[in-house]
């Protein structure tokens, strides 16, 4: 027999899994032409035709029955299409075992209840609420012995109702061979059970909502059917009878289980009370345990016990619990006071501060312990700084001893070490080991600044880190997670704006540090109203440049250390300003001290002349300036973030003026040395360079320098200063970035040239005037008359005497400085030639012999000093010759030449110095 339609095809089922009696909706194609056409329906091999309800050719609703297979197909059979097929499957879940006291929205097969009772563990009451299988998966007993498990989990239990329940033990004992997928299913079952317990009876109503609707529909259908048949009027209301039956069933059930439920409720109440007492029995011992743990310092244990007791008994109405909890609160309050005292105690480490703040936060201490700690630390640091200053001031005044120890620092300062090294070189005694003398040599103010900076660097980092943690809220994230502490952290952020406006802690500490340092190092830079608080040193002498440089290094190291703490630059700007002021003051003081040192160089002049005609004074002058500039090298160098010392025009002008003053002081020293009376010259140490010619011919025991000799030595030094020393000093100034070097050089050179010219004129006046003054008496000696004189036989003695005097000047100058010889002799020759020209021009007339004699003497002098002739002296000689009558005969010219040769031959030895000078000048 052929069928007229295609076989049924199931393409979907909703839901696709569930426990027995789950209502499902089947969808597909060709599922029948009507309810009578549907002749078969199986799900997982179970016949579900009795519960099937045909809706349409593509939809059937039914309930899943008990089946042997966990998963199977949905097969629909119709008259028109025959046995069908399925593209989907249904998974049958095992139903939860419901106890006799559990609520259920559907009818429960009582056989399941009795089966569950046979699975219970021995010793457990039958009415216990404990489920036999809390995970909802199949139990597979392990092969591990009970003794091995007890040894492995000492003091624990596999009973999940016990306080010492061990999940690992339970899993090993009951699910050692269970797969991971099944364990994941067990987790899902536990979550569902937890959700059901939390939802209560409403969950059962929701779960059985469809059952209630079906029952309501069934009753409504029966009621309508009875009304339609009219049986309700004849035989009475069937629904009323059914209601009465159900009420009697309910009353019977209540009577049957009332005693059992009453005993269960009472047992549960008793068991719960015992469990609570057993669990929180520590409350009765808690006051004593708190005292013991406080004595041991186990504050964490105390806080944990207190939190536990507070959560359990904080709002209890039981009088006994209230009494013991009040004792606990009393001891906790005492602990709060103890921890607050420890927190505010100074000194303390950052770790301890954070720990005490955490304890106080966990104990819900009123107020803000962290803010109180910051305030206490702030006051303590200020107190330490001022106490340090008072101690050094008293020590300076000699009110107490010994001097405050700089943290037992055995390392002497750099300057102290240098002084010790210098003493060793001088042959002084020095004891090894710790030498405290350097501390007493170190000025109190410098030692105070060292101590002050060490004190700040030892205390401020912890203070700053605590403050940063407080401001950014990390302190509270580290110490607490409770709502009250979170609120407190919010209040902290609100307080930040107030703190920024006042900057109570950081700026005051920085300002105190800077002002105390200024009071010690720069007392004039603080206001009169602050002098008593930050000053009071009462010292008359100012610190030297070396100690100021040492103090600058100390403050710089302090600034670097504070910068490493990431302190904002606006807070450190006052320290930068202090460093700049100290650097400027150090430069000023060093230059002033250099001027004082140079002023004393005159006392060190030994008048020892070397081959170049110089004493050691120019070298000492240059070395003194070089050493001063070298000592300022670190001061003038700009560290990161520092400004140049010379950035202010006022500073540039002052430094330039001090530099000029140094040069002029040395020039003044030279002038003083040149004009010093003979009696004031100490010649006991006079000596001559062994490689130089004999000074002034010979040295006698009673030798002393004349004013002319000192003038020559000073002039020689002036020449060297102009050509070398001043230029070298200018280079050193430029190397150290001094400003206004051109002005310094110009003013110094002008002053030096003025002194040189003045000294040179004085020397020429001393040497030339006697020679010039001897010419006129020499010419007219023996009543000589140019109009009436004998024929010339040679150069007269006055000229020879003048030449000898010039040679003496040459010898004196040559012995000191060869370079001064042309300059000095040129001026002397100018004076002599000018005087000789004047004398010749004053003669009214010359005889033939007189003219020849005058021409002979003028030519002899001119030819002898020809190498030192200048345009002025040549002009004077020319004017002198022009004043004479010209030679008329060749005999006179021949006689003149013979007499000149005779003069040069007879004076050859004396005139050799001029020839040597001539050859030397030609070579150069």
């Amino acid at each position: 027999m052929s069928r007229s339609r295609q076989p049924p095809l199931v393409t979907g089922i909703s839901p696709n899994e569930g426990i027995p009696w789950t209502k499902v909706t089947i969808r597909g194609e060709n599922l029948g032409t009507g309810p009578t056409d549907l002749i078969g329906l199986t799900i997982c091999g179970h016949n579900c035709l009795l519960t099937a309800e045909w809706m349409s050719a593509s939809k059937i609703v039914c309930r899943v029955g008990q089946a042997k297979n966990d998963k199977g197909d949905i097969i629909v059979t119709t008259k028109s299409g025959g046995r069908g097929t399925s593209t989907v499957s249904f998974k049958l879940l095992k139903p939860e075992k419901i106890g006799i006291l559990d609520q259920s929205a559907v009818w429960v097969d009582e056989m399941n209840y009795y089966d569950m009772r046979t699975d219970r563990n021995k010793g457990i009451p039958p009415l216990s609420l404990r489920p036999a299988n809390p995970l909802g998966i199949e139990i597979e007993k392990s092969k591990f012995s009970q003794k091995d498990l007890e040894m492995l989990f000492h003091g624990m239990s596999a009973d999940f109702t016990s306080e010492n329940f061990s999940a690992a033990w339970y899993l090993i004992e009951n699910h050692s061979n269970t797969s991971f997928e099944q364990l994941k299913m067990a987790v899902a079952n536990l979550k569902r059970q937890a959700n059901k317990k939390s939802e209560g009876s409403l969950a059962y109503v929701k779960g059985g909502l469809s059952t209630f609707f079906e029952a309501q529909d069934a009753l409504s259908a029966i009621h309508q059917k009875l009304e339609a048949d009219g049986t309700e009027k004849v035989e009475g209301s069937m629904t009323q009878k059914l209601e009465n039956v159900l009420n009697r069933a309910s009353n019977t059930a209540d009577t049957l289980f009332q005693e059992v439920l009453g005993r269960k409720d009472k047992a549960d109440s008793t068991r719960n009370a015992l469990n609570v007492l057993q669990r929180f029995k520590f409350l009765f011992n808690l006051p004593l345990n708190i005292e013991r743990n406080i004595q041991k310092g186990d504050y964490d244990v105390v806080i944990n016990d207190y939190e536990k007791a507070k959560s359990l008994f904080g709002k209890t109405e039981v009088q006994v619990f209230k009494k013991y909890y009040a004792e606990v609160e009393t001891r906790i309050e005492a602990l709060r006071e103890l921890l607050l005292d420890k927190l505010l105690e100074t000194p303390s480490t950052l770790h301890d501060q954070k720990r005490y703040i955490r304890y106080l936060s966990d104990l819900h201490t009123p107020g803000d312990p962290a803010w109180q700690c910051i305030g206490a630390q702030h006051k303590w640091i200020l107190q330490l700084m001022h106490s340090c200053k008072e101690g050094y001031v008293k020590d300076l005044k000699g009110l107490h001893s010994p001097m405050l120890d700089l943290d037992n620092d055995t390392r002497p300062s750099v300057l102290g070490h240098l002084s010790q090294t210098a003493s060793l070189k001088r042959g002084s005694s020095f004891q090894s080991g710790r030498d405290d003398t350097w501390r007493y040599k170190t000025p109190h103010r410098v030692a105070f600044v060292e101590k002050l900076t060490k004190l700040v660097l030892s205390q401020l980092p912890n203070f700053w880190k605590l403050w940063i943690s407080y401001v950014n809220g990390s302190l509270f994230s580290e110490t607490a997670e409770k709502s009250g502490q979170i609120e407190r952290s919010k209040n902290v952020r609100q307080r930040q704006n107030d703190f920024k406006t006042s900057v109570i802690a950081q700026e005051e500490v920085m300002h105190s540090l800077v002002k105390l340092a200024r009071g010690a190092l720069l007392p004039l830079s603080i206001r009169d109203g602050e002098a008593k608080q930050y000053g009071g040193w009462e010292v008359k002498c100012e610190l030297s440049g070396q100690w100021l440089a040492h103090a600058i290094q100390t403050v710089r190291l302090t600034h670097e250390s504070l910068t490493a703490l990431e302190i904002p630059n606006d807070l450190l700007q006052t320290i930068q300003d202090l460093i700049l002021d100290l650097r400027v003051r150090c430069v000023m003081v060093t230059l002033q001290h250099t001027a004082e040192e140079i002023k004393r160089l005159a006392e060190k002049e030994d008048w020892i002349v070397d081959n170049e005609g110089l004493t050691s004074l120019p070298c000492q002058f240059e070395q003194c300036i070089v050493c001063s500039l070298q000592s300022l090298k670190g001061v003038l160098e700009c560290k990161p973030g520092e400004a140049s010392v010379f950035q202010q025009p006022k500073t540039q002008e002052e430094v330039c003026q001090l530099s000029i003053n140094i040069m002029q002081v040395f020039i003044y020293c030279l002038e003083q040395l040149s004009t010093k009376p003979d009696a004031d010259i100490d010649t006991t140490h006079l000596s001559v360079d062994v490689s130089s010619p004999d000074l002034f011919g010979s040295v006698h025991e009673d030798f002393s320098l004349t004013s002319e000799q000192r003038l020559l030595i000073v002039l020689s030094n002036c020449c060297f200063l102009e050509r070398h020393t001043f230029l070298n000093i200018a280079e050193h100034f430029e190397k150290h970035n001094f400003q206004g070097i051109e002005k310094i050089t110009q003013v110094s050179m002008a002053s030096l040239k003025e002194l040189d010219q003045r000294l040179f004129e004085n020397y020429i006046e001393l040497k030339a005037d006697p020679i010039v003054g001897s010419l006129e008496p020499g010419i007219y000696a023996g009543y000589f008359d140019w109009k009436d004189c004998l024929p010339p036989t040679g150069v007269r003695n006055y000229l020879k005497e003048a030449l000898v005097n010039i040679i003496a000047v040459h010898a004196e100058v040559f012995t000191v400085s060869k370079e001064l010889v042309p300059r000095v002799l040129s001026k002397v020759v100018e004076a002599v030639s000018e005087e000789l020209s004047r004398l010749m021009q004053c003669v009214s007339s010359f005889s033939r012999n007189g003219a020849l004699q005058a021409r002979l003497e003028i030519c002899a002098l001119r030819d002898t000093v020809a190498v030192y002739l200048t345009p002025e002296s040549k002009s004077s000689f020319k004017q002198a010759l022009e004043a004479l009558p010209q030679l008329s005969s060749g005999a006179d010219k021949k006689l003149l030449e013979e007499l000149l040769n005779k003069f040069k031959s007879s004076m050859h030895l004396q005139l050799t110095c001029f020839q040597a000078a001539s050859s030397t000048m030609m070579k150069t």
Side-chain angles (χ1 to χ4, degrees):
M1 179 176 178
S2 61
R3 296 182 179 90
S4 60
R5 297 180 64 86
Q6 294 292 330
L9 176 63
V10 176
T11 59
I13 184 171
S14 177
N16 59 3
E17 63 178 8
I19 62 174
W21 309 114
T22 300
K23 188 175 183 179
V24 297
T25 300
I26 300 171
R27 298 184 183 276
E29 300 174 358
N30 305 319
L31 300 182
T33 58
T36 58
D37 191 37
L38 181 64
I39 60 175
L41 176 60
T42 60
I43 299 177
C44 296
H46 184 270
N47 188 2
C48 302
L49 185 59
L50 288 177
T51 61
E53 183 180 356
W54 186 89
M55 306 300 292
S56 66
S58 60
K59 178 178 178 183
I60 297 175
V61 178
C62 70
R63 287 188 178 272
V64 180
Q66 295 284 353
K68 296 181 180 179
N69 299 327
D70 292 340
K71 191 173 184 181
D73 295 334
I74 302 95
I75 305 298
V76 177
T77 305
T78 62
K79 293 178 182 181
S80 59
R83 181 181 177 87
T85 59
S86 174
T87 61
V88 295
S89 60
F90 183 82
K91 183 177 181 181
L92 191 63
L93 303 177
K94 292 184 178 181
E96 297 180 3
K97 293 181 180 181
I98 301 175
I100 59 175
L101 301 180
D102 291 338
Q103 299 182 28
S104 176
V106 297
W107 187 260
V108 179
D109 187 358
E110 294 185 357
M111 290 303 296
N112 292 335
Y113 164 70
Y114 291 109
D115 291 342
M116 182 188 72
R117 292 192 60 182
T118 60
D119 291 338
R120 71 180 187 273
N121 292 332
K122 187 178 180 181
I124 297 180
L127 299 180
S128 174
L129 293 178
R130 180 185 65 182
N133 185 8
L135 298 183
I137 58 177
E138 186 178 355
I139 296 177
E140 299 177 3
K141 293 292 183 180
S142 66
K143 299 179 181 179
F144 294 97
S145 64
Q146 193 70 16
K147 292 183 178 180
D148 293 341
L149 292 173
E150 290 178 355
M151 292 179 62
L152 183 61
F153 300 98
H154 180 70
M156 307 302 289
S157 173
D159 184 2
F160 49 81
T161 62
S162 174
E163 289 185 357
N164 300 325
F165 171 69
S166 173
W169 186 351
Y170 178 82
L171 291 175
I172 292 174
E173 183 177 7
N174 299 289
H175 300 283
S176 59
N177 297 324
T178 304
S179 66
F180 182 70
E181 293 297 328
Q182 288 181 320
L183 290 176
K184 290 172 67 177
M185 292 174 56
V187 173
N189 292 336
L190 287 175
K191 290 182 178 179
R192 282 197 297 270
Q193 292 177 15
N195 292 334
K196 287 181 179 180
K197 289 182 179 180
S198 62
E199 292 178 0
S201 300
L202 184 61
Y204 297 100
V205 175
K206 290 180 179 178
L209 194 59
S210 61
T211 305
F212 290 127
F213 288 158
E214 290 175 359
Q216 177 66 27
D217 292 343
L219 291 174
S220 297
I222 293 171
H223 182 71
Q224 292 175 1
K225 185 66 175 176
L226 291 174
E227 284 185 347
D229 295 343
T231 57
E232 183 153 351
K233 296 180 179 180
V234 178
E235 300 177 0
S237 176
M238 184 177 180
T239 55
Q240 184 66 36
K241 293 180 181 180
L242 181 60
E243 181 180 359
N244 295 334
V245 171
L246 291 177
N247 288 334
R248 287 198 302 272
S250 177
N251 293 333
T252 303
D254 290 342
T255 304
L256 179 63
F257 287 96
Q258 187 170 6
E259 184 179 356
V260 176
L261 293 174
R263 289 198 302 269
K264 171 187 172 292
D265 293 340
K266 186 175 181 180
D268 289 344
S269 300
T270 304
R271 187 181 299 108
N272 291 335
L274 291 175
N275 287 337
V276 170
L277 291 175
Q278 179 66 24
R279 182 178 180 184
F280 300 108
K281 64 181 180 181
F282 76 96
L283 177 64
F284 301 105
N285 296 326
L286 188 56
L288 182 59
N289 290 335
I290 288 176
E291 291 184 357
R292 290 176 179 174
N293 290 326
I294 289 176
Q295 293 176 358
K296 294 178 183 178
D298 295 336
Y299 303 121
D300 289 310
V301 177
V302 175
I303 293 172
N304 290 335
D305 290 345
Y306 172 66
E307 289 292 337
K308 187 176 181 181
K310 185 177 181 180
S311 63
L312 294 174
F313 307 102
K315 298 181 180 180
T316 183
E317 297 297 331
V318 181
Q319 294 300 322
V320 176
F321 289 168
K322 280 186 176 181
K323 179 178 179 182
Y324 278 89
Y325 185 73
E327 289 292 329
V328 171
E329 285 289 355
T330 301
R331 284 162 174 76
I332 291 298
E333 184 62 30
L335 176 60
R336 291 191 186 105
E337 295 178 359
L338 174 64
L339 292 176
L340 186 59
D341 292 340
K342 287 183 175 291
L343 176 63
L344 302 181
E345 185 179 283
T346 52
S348 61
T349 63
L350 179 63
H351 173 73
D352 289 341
Q353 290 171 354
K354 288 187 175 182
R355 188 161 58 94
Y356 292 139
I357 291 173
R358 176 173 64 85
Y359 292 152
L360 290 169
S361 298
D362 291 342
L363 291 173
H364 307 284
T365 304
D368 193 346
W371 182 257
Q372 294 177 10
C373 178
I374 291 174
Q377 288 290 318
H378 165 236
K379 293 179 181 178
W380 184 65
I381 292 176
L382 293 179
Q383 182 181 358
L384 281 180
M385 294 167 67
H386 287 281
S387 298
C388 180
K389 191 263 294 186
E390 295 299 330
Y392 273 88
V393 170
K394 289 181 181 178
D395 183 71
L396 180 62
K397 295 178 180 180
L399 297 181
H400 68 82
S401 63
M403 182 177 170
L404 292 175
D405 193 7
L406 299 180
D407 293 340
N408 296 323
D409 187 2
T410 59
R411 177 185 59 82
S413 62
V414 177
L415 294 177
H417 175 71
L418 292 176
S419 64
Q420 292 174 358
T421 306
S423 64
L424 283 174
K425 291 180 179 179
R426 291 192 297 268
S428 61
S429 61
F430 178 74
Q431 295 180 352
S432 60
R434 176 166 183 176
D435 183 11
D436 290 338
T437 57
W438 71 272
R439 288 191 296 111
Y440 293 96
K441 295 177 182 178
T442 303
H444 281 66
R445 291 178 287 169
V446 177
F448 160 69
V449 173
E450 289 181 351
K451 177 70 175 181
L452 180 66
T453 54
K454 288 181 181 179
L455 186 151
V456 171
L457 291 179
S458 65
Q459 301 299 328
L460 191 60
N462 289 342
F463 177 57
W464 175 254
K465 291 175 183 177
L466 180 64
W467 164 248
I468 290 297
S469 300
Y470 179 80
V471 170
N472 59 27
S474 62
L475 178 64
F476 298 96
S477 64
E478 293 175 4
T479 59
E481 298 177 355
K482 300 179 177 58
S483 59
Q485 289 137 358
I486 293 174
E487 289 298 325
R488 189 179 296 122
S489 67
K490 294 178 182 177
N491 294 334
V492 169
R493 293 178 178 84
Q494 295 174 0
R495 190 183 293 115
Q496 289 182 29
N497 294 330
D498 297 335
F499 186 86
K500 288 180 180 178
T501 56
S502 60
V503 195
I504 299 172
Q506 300 301 331
E507 282 195 359
E508 188 170 359
V509 171
M510 294 300 174
H511 286 185
S512 296
L513 170 63
V514 171
K515 288 181 180 179
L516 287 171
R518 285 184 179 276
L521 304 176
L522 302 172
L524 297 179
S525 65
I526 60 176
R527 296 191 294 267
D528 295 338
E530 298 175 341
K532 183 177 180 180
Q533 183 180 2
Y534 299 104
W537 291 92
E538 298 181 3
V539 289
K540 297 180 180 179
C541 59
E542 190 173 10
L543 290 172
S544 65
Q546 290 179 331
W547 287 118
L548 284 175
H550 181 70
I552 290 171
Q553 181 66 15
T554 301
V555 179
R556 275 176 168 173
L557 292 175
T558 304
H559 182 269
E560 291 177 4
S561 301
L562 295 178
T563 304
L565 295 176
E566 298 182 356
I567 296 178
N569 291 330
D570 53 350
L571 291 178
L572 298 179
Q573 186 58 42
T574 54
I575 299 181
Q576 284 282 23
D577 296 341
L578 171 62
I579 293 175
L580 180 60
D581 292 346
L582 284 174
R583 291 168 62 204
V584 171
R585 190 57 194 163
C586 181
V587 172
M588 301 295 184
V589 171
T590 301
L591 294 179
Q592 292 172 0
H593 178 73
T594 303
E596 294 296 327
E597 288 291 327
I598 290 174
K599 187 180 296 184
R600 292 192 289 270
L601 284 180
E603 303 172 0
K604 301 178 181 180
E605 176 61 280
D606 53 10
W607 301 103
I608 299 176
V609 182
D610 60 9
N611 287 333
E612 297 180 359
L614 304 174
T615 63
S616 61
L617 202 60
C619 182
Q620 291 181 21
F621 169 63
E622 182 178 356
Q623 190 64 29
C624 184
I625 293 181
V626 169
C627 290
S628 297
L629 294 178
Q630 190 65 27
S631 67
L632 292 174
K633 182 178 180 180
V635 176
L636 296 173
E637 181 182 359
C638 293
K639 298 294 182 181
E642 293 183 356
S644 172
V645 173
F646 306 107
Q647 69 173 354
Q648 295 295 333
K650 181 180 179 182
T651 304
Q652 296 179 14
E653 183 64 27
E654 291 179 358
V655 172
C656 179
Q657 193 58 43
L658 286 173
S659 302
I660 293 174
N661 183 53
I662 290 174
M663 313 292 272
Q664 291 179 338
V665 164
F666 184 69
I667 294 172
Y668 177 76
C669 289
L670 294 176
E671 184 177 5
Q672 292 297 313
L673 288 173
S674 65
T675 59
K676 200 172 185 180
D678 295 345
D680 294 341
I681 300 297
D682 183 9
T683 59
T684 57
H685 60 284
L686 270 176
S687 60
V688 183
D689 193 331
V690 294
S691 61
S692 64
D694 187 11
L695 182 60
F696 312 126
S698 63
V699 178
H700 303 284
E701 294 182 358
D702 57 350
F703 177 79
S704 61
L705 288 176
T706 63
S707 59
E708 294 89 347
Q709 293 165 355
R710 290 200 307 276
L711 279 173
L712 277 176
I713 294 174
V714 173
L715 278 172
S716 178
N717 287 338
C718 287
C719 293
F720 184 80
L721 289 171
E722 183 179 353
R723 292 195 306 270
H724 300 287
T725 305
F726 277 17
L727 298 179
N728 293 341
I729 292 173
E731 291 179 0
H732 288 298
F733 281 143
E734 185 175 4
K735 180 180 178 182
H736 289 82
N737 299 320
F738 273 56
Q739 303 297 316
I741 299 175
E742 184 177 354
K743 179 180 179 181
I744 296 173
T745 305
Q746 289 178 353
V747 175
S748 302
M749 285 292 190
S751 299
L752 180 65
K753 289 179 181 179
E754 180 184 356
L755 174 64
D756 176 83
Q757 186 63 30
R758 190 165 61 251
L759 296 181
F760 180 75
E761 291 175 356
N762 291 340
Y763 183 77
I764 294 302
E765 183 179 352
L766 290 174
K767 291 300 180 181
D769 285 358
I771 298 174
V772 170
S774 65
L775 287 179
E776 186 173 2
I779 289 175
Y780 296 105
Y783 302 101
F784 179 80
D785 188 3
W786 296 107
K787 299 177 183 179
D788 183 14
C789 61
L790 297 175
T793 57
V795 176
R796 290 186 292 170
N797 290 335
Y798 82 92
L799 188 61
K800 294 180 179 179
E801 183 181 353
L803 285 173
V804 169
N805 290 332
I806 294 175
I807 291 171
V809 173
H810 179 281
E812 185 178 69
V813 176
F814 185 85
T815 306
V816 174
S817 175
K818 300 176 185 178
E819 297 180 358
L820 282 177
V821 172
R823 182 184 179 190
V824 173
L825 289 188
S826 296
K827 283 296 181 181
V828 173
V829 170
E830 282 184 10
V832 173
S833 62
E834 182 181 356
E835 178 65 17
L836 192 59
S837 174
R838 185 187 67 80
L839 291 174
M840 293 298 107
Q841 291 176 3
C842 291
V843 178
S844 58
S845 61
F846 292 90
S847 64
R848 177 173 174 272
N849 292 333
L852 187 60
Q853 183 70 40
R855 187 174 294 276
L856 171 64
E857 293 173 350
I858 292 172
C859 290
L861 179 60
R862 184 192 62 185
D863 295 345
T864 301
V865 296
V867 69
Y868 298 114
L869 292 179
T870 62
E872 289 80 5
S873 57
K874 288 180 181 180
S875 177
S876 298
F877 279 118
K878 182 179 179 182
Q879 292 176 2
L881 291 175
E882 290 176 352
L884 301 177
Q886 298 295 325
L887 295 178
S888 58
S889 62
D892 292 340
K893 294 180 180 179
K894 184 178 180 180
L895 177 62
L896 177 63
E897 184 176 355
E898 290 177 355
L899 291 177
L900 283 174
N901 292 333
K902 178 182 178 181
F903 166 75
K904 295 177 181 179
S905 176
S906 62
M907 295 287 291
H908 175 73
L909 181 62
Q910 288 80 1
L911 301 181
T912 303
C913 63
F914 299 118
Q915 297 174 3
S918 176
S919 61
T920 301
M921 292 180 67
M922 290 176 64
K923 289 179 182 180
T924 56

